[in-house]
Amino acid sequence: VSTQSTGVVVEVDSSAHKATMICTFVLFFKFFFTILVQGSKRFAAGTRPPEDVSLSLAKGRPQHYGLQATNDEKVKKYQEVDIRWQRIVLNDLENLPLGLILAWGSLLSPASTTVHIAVVSIFWVSRVAHTIFYARGLQPHRGIAWLVAIVCSITMALNGFFGVISK
């Protein structure tokens, strides 16, 4: 980092920048895909607002926010799938923003660019794997993928922190 009268110039390793941008790109489209799938599952479960019954994805199924009790096993299964995808979206909302903030923040001050590239890459792979494992109901796979992503986030934070205090 060099200071000039007009501001601060930050040098960024081009490979680390590419890895961070690929991570951001993949996770953006993974999240977009996830919310599309989750939205479609809501139709089958009847958990959309009542006015959505006229939309083509409703396929004539009543929509009532899922507030009507049912004994129909098929509808109960649809509701279970809907809740599963809601949880996937919520988990992404809990983990992706902070993970990406740490990725971009540590890109500006990594103690090691090699560590940065590795953990950013492992982070996006583990978050994609988490979604796949969660959607398929695979445990302990889901928990392991979640834990790997958390360890990557902690490592990004530490790598950025030690980069700042060592320079």
Side-chain angles (χ1 to χ4, degrees):
V1 179
S2 63
T3 307
Q4 299 175 354
S5 61
T6 59
V8 176
V9 175
V10 178
E11 290 185 29
V12 175
D13 179 86
S14 65
S15 295
H17 179 250
K18 287 176 186 175
T20 306
M21 191 59 230
I22 289 168
C23 170
T24 304
F25 177 85
V26 168
L27 291 178
F28 171 78
F29 283 102
K30 182 211 86 69
F31 183 74
F32 187 71
F33 171 78
T34 300
I35 61 174
L36 287 176
V37 170
Q38 190 264 337
S40 70
K41 300 301 180 187
R42 298 190 69 94
F43 281 105
T47 57
R48 302 280 304 190
E51 64 272 15
D52 289 358
V53 74
S54 63
L55 299 175
S56 63
L57 286 173
K59 298 179 183 172
R61 290 186 195 100
Q63 300 297 312
H64 42 71
Y65 292 111
L67 298 176
Q68 292 180 351
T70 182
N71 292 324
D72 185 336
E73 290 302 316
K74 190 174 179 180
V75 171
K76 286 182 180 181
K77 182 64 179 168
Y78 288 145
Q79 290 173 340
E80 179 185 324
V81 171
D82 173 32
I83 291 170
R84 179 173 297 280
W85 280 93
Q86 286 180 47
R87 302 295 172 122
I88 292 168
V89 169
L90 289 172
N91 194 279
D92 278 352
L93 291 172
E94 293 168 357
N95 291 279
L96 295 184
L98 286 176
L100 289 172
I101 289 167
L102 290 168
W104 285 98
S106 65
L107 171 67
L108 300 176
S109 61
S112 166
T113 56
T114 303
V115 168
H116 179 83
I117 292 167
V119 295
V120 165
S121 301
I122 295 167
F123 177 75
W124 76 256
V125 169
S126 62
R127 289 305 306 169
V128 169
H130 176 270
T131 296
I132 293 167
F133 297 148
Y134 208 142
R136 294 187 178 174
L138 299 175
Q139 192 63 290
H141 306 80
R142 181 185 92 216
I144 292 167
W146 176 86
L147 182 60
V148 169
I150 292 297
V151 169
C152 287
S153 293
I154 292 167
T155 304
M156 286 185 275
L158 292 171
N159 191 40
F161 175 76
F162 288 121
V164 166
I165 65 170
S166 69
K167 294 179 181 179

